[in-house]
Amino acid sequence: MAPDISVIIPTYRRPGPLVEAIESVLAQKGASCEILVIDDCPEGSAEEAVRPFADRGVIYMRSPSPSGGRPAVVRNFGFKQARADIIHFLDDDDLAPEGYYAEALDVFKQRPDIGVVFGKVEPFGDIDVASERDYFETAHRRARRYGQLGPKLGFSAAMFFQRTLLICSAGMVRKSCVEAIGGFDPQPSLAEDVDFYARAIRHSGAYVLDRTSIHYRIGPSLMRLPDRQPLIDSSYRAIHARYRREHGPVDFFALKTFAKILDRLHA
């Protein structure tokens, strides 16, 4: 029998946090899961950490070709191995909150028209996360408001043209939706998860839960570098160029204009 949810965990030389991530999934109630750990390290840095979980349905795989720091490539390999209809792309240092899987699964069952379910991002870490917590609390309030506009329009405008509403681990998505949009695009140098969820929501719509959907570990990353803005700008240029190609300039500028209207209404 196929599991309810396939959890895809790309990993690279973080065995300690990886074990915590796996345990947070194994602690979930009300949903059967398979956990696919995809090791992007040529030396197999996660193999020893994952071995004790082998008899609990955790599957260890090595990436066929190390990505060189492109998690989009690893996630795309992972989802093609998944047996469940629902996929959770969980980063190897994040934690799934208690009760989230059962609640998300219930929404997917009740709303067959919805392709994405997400909730609030709760940051944590060994550094001060006050600014990140403020950001994601605001993002969740925005998401709840935009959800009143329907499953696609407000969410899509926000994801493509405003500050993001979620990060990769915060959402779950139907496998059929992932397949329909071709998975993750490895082209953006940053924000590949923003691009993925923007396209998934544009295609299949979303539902936002009034609860925490991920404990998001804050630590060193490209997104925290002081000179990150040029990388972010180039990533969004790639995201917008793809949108224009796929939906045409009229649709592109209409959605961009709508995003500006939302900004003014909710300023």
Side-chain angles (χ1 to χ4, degrees):
M1 183 178 295
D4 295 321
I5 300 169
S6 292
V7 185
I8 311 298
I9 310 180
T11 191
Y12 183 82
R13 295 180 178 170
R14 287 198 285 210
L18 171 64
V19 167
E20 295 179 36
I22 291 171
E23 289 175 339
S24 75
V25 175
L26 293 175
Q28 297 292 314
K29 307 294 184 183
S32 61
C33 301
E34 67 172 1
I35 303 174
L36 306 178
V37 176
I38 316 298
D39 197 342
D40 199 34
C41 175
E43 294 80 28
S45 64
E47 190 167 8
E48 288 296 322
V50 175
R51 185 173 289 118
F53 298 103
D55 61 350
R56 301 179 67 184
V58 180
I59 301 168
Y60 173 83
M61 301 179 182
R62 290 198 189 184
S63 181
S65 179
S67 73
R70 293 184 297 161
V73 175
V74 186
R75 294 177 189 132
N76 284 344
F77 170 75
F79 91 75
K80 293 173 184 176
Q81 322 307 315
R83 295 186 297 130
D85 293 332
I86 306 300
I87 293 178
H88 184 203
F89 293 104
L90 178 64
D91 285 353
D92 64 356
D93 58 344
D94 293 339
L95 305 174
E98 181 180 353
Y100 168 48
Y101 280 25
E103 191 167 337
L105 187 62
D106 189 54
V107 172
F108 279 118
K109 289 177 179 178
Q110 294 184 33
R111 295 290 303 273
D113 58 313
I114 291 297
V116 175
V117 173
F118 69 98
K120 180 183 175 183
V121 177
E122 181 60 43
F124 73 101
D126 297 328
I127 59 176
D128 184 5
V129 299
S131 61
E132 285 86 357
R133 181 170 289 113
D134 289 344
Y135 175 90
F136 286 113
E137 286 179 353
T138 300
H140 186 62
R141 289 195 296 270
R142 288 168 53 223
R144 297 288 290 174
R145 289 197 299 265
Y146 296 163
Q148 298 173 8
L149 302 175
K152 291 185 179 181
L153 186 58
F155 293 139
S156 296
M159 292 299 292
F160 279 109
F161 297 108
Q162 297 179 356
R163 295 170 298 166
T164 187
L165 301 174
L166 71 159
I167 50 94
C168 187
S169 298
M172 287 194 192
V173 58
R174 293 189 192 274
K175 186 178 181 181
S176 59
C177 176
V178 182
E179 293 169 336
I181 66 171
F184 286 80
D185 186 346
Q187 181 179 358
S189 52
L190 286 178
E192 82 288 337
D193 54 343
V194 176
D195 169 71
F196 171 79
Y197 277 113
R199 291 186 292 112
I201 292 170
R202 173 67 172 75
H203 181 273
S204 299
Y207 182 92
V208 58
L209 295 169
D210 191 19
R211 61 155 295 146
T212 298
S213 63
I214 198 66
H215 294 296
Y216 175 40
R217 192 187 304 264
I218 303 295
S221 73
L222 289 174
M223 291 300 291
R224 295 181 65 84
L225 292 176
D227 57 349
R228 68 189 181 281
Q229 196 57 48
L231 289 174
I232 294 173
D233 291 343
S234 66
S235 294
Y236 273 91
R237 283 194 295 270
I239 291 169
H240 293 160
R242 177 170 181 162
Y243 190 98
R244 285 194 297 269
R245 290 196 305 270
E246 294 184 347
H247 300 285
V250 173
D251 189 308
F252 174 84
F253 286 109
L255 191 65
K256 185 175 183 179
T257 300
F258 183 67
K260 291 179 179 178
I261 293 172
L262 288 179
D263 269 338
R264 289 196 293 269
L265 289 176
H266 299 294

